[in-house]
Amino acid sequence: QSALTQPASVSGSPGQSITISCTGTSSDIGDYNYVSWYRQYPGKAPKLMIYDVSNRPSGISNRFSGSKSGNTASLTISGLQAEDEADYYCSSYTISSTVVFGGGTKLTVL
Amino acid sequence: QVQLQESGPGLVKASETLSLTCTVSGGSISPYYWSWIRQPAGKGLEWIGRIYSSGSSNSNPSLKSRVTMSVDTSKNQFSLKLTSVAAADTAVYYCARGGNYYYDTTGYRFDYWGQGTLVTVSS
């Protein structure tokens, strides 16, 4: 299985909105609404931010939102804050009953 | 609060077997999916495989021939064995909880993670 495709980096200024894309295939993102997003700070374990394309776990700010169109999922962070600077990973369930991650996107808050 | 803790040797010789155990506290190992995920230094996450509390499992096709997973419900633990390791297997290994089987048959979303343990493969 091939990794999902994410941009290596994105950046934005405090208060702005940014969107991170995650492109898969018809065997993963395109076939299921089982896309999740994780935030990872350096040296720390990832944290679940979004699941089932657009659902937020309890305690996650509504500044984080997710969507999907075809084989591409997206994570949008609005009202960017310094604490949002981190690596973000998408993942999807696949037709083979496995899980595949994206390569990760480094978000820089300018 | 559910907590996961990985344990095992931090150094494994090439061609030998990597063995890790994840101990779950603050909650039951049933009826959840449990996964292993790894991350080489400076690189992205790679899903290794998943085991259900009944013992059924599946794994990443790229690692399938080398991966064995098991679960011990009496100890609230699950384990990973990766055979014939090479330098490319050097990574931080995480254990993580997938979904409750009765509500999520995919087990793909990971809501609790261990802190991770670095395993280095030496030549």
Side-chain angles (χ1 to χ4, degrees):
Chain A
Q1 58 190 29
S2 298
L4 306 174
T5 301
Q6 298 180 233
S9 64
V10 298
S11 62
S13 299
Q16 289 185 331
S17 294
I18 63 94
T19 297
I20 300 171
S21 62
C22 172
T23 301
T25 68
S26 57
S27 296
D28 38 66
I29 292 178
D31 205 31
Y32 297 101
N33 287 323
Y34 296 133
V35 177
S36 58
W37 289 90
Y38 301 86
R39 177 182 69 194
Q40 185 180 36
Y41 293 125
K44 300 295 186 181
K47 179 183 178 66
L48 180 66
M49 306 300 287
I50 295 286
Y51 68 94
D52 294 354
V53 175
S54 60
N55 292 330
R56 287 186 306 275
S58 175
I60 300 301
S61 169
N62 60 9
R63 296 189 300 108
F64 292 84
S65 62
S67 61
K68 190 190 90 165
S69 177
N71 295 340
T72 299
S74 298
L75 172 71
T76 298
I77 308 174
S78 60
L80 210 56
Q81 300 177 0
E83 68 196 47
D84 298 328
E85 185 162 297
D87 293 326
Y88 290 83
Y89 293 90
C90 61
S91 79
S92 174
Y93 188 65
T94 81
I95 200 171
S96 303
S97 301
T98 60
V99 179
V100 63
F101 283 97
T105 298
K106 181 177 179 59
L107 169 61
T108 301
V109 180
L110 301 171
Chain B
Q1 176 76 346
V2 175
Q3 293 185 317
L4 287 72
Q5 179 66 59
E6 305 89 352
S7 59
L11 188 63
V12 182
K13 291 183 178 179
S15 80
E16 296 189 345
T17 297
L18 177 160
S19 297
L20 294 174
T21 295
C22 183
T23 301
V24 180
S25 59
S28 175
I29 204 164
S30 302
Y32 292 92
Y33 288 104
W34 303 93
S35 276
W36 290 96
I37 296 155
R38 69 180 183 180
Q39 185 174 36
K43 296 188 178 181
L45 301 167
E46 180 181 33
W47 182 76
I48 297 170
R50 166 181 65 230
I51 189 165
Y52 177 54
S53 49
S54 68
S56 63
S57 65
N58 67 320
S59 54
N60 189 322
S62 68
L63 300 169
K64 189 173 184 177
S65 63
R66 299 195 291 133
V67 169
T68 302
M69 290 174 287
S70 60
V71 62
D72 188 336
T73 55
S74 67
K75 294 183 179 179
N76 244 28
Q77 293 177 334
F78 60 103
S79 299
L80 168 72
K81 290 188 186 298
L82 182 66
T83 61
S84 304
V85 297
D89 295 311
T90 294
V92 173
Y93 285 74
Y94 294 100
C95 56
R97 192 181 83 169
N100 182 316
Y101 176 82
Y102 294 108
Y103 302 106
D104 171 20
T105 57
T106 69
Y108 88 101
R109 69 174 191 253
F110 310 114
D111 55 359
Y112 289 97
W113 294 66
Q115 64 185 22
T117 187
L118 174 63
V119 178
T120 301
V121 176
S122 68
S123 55

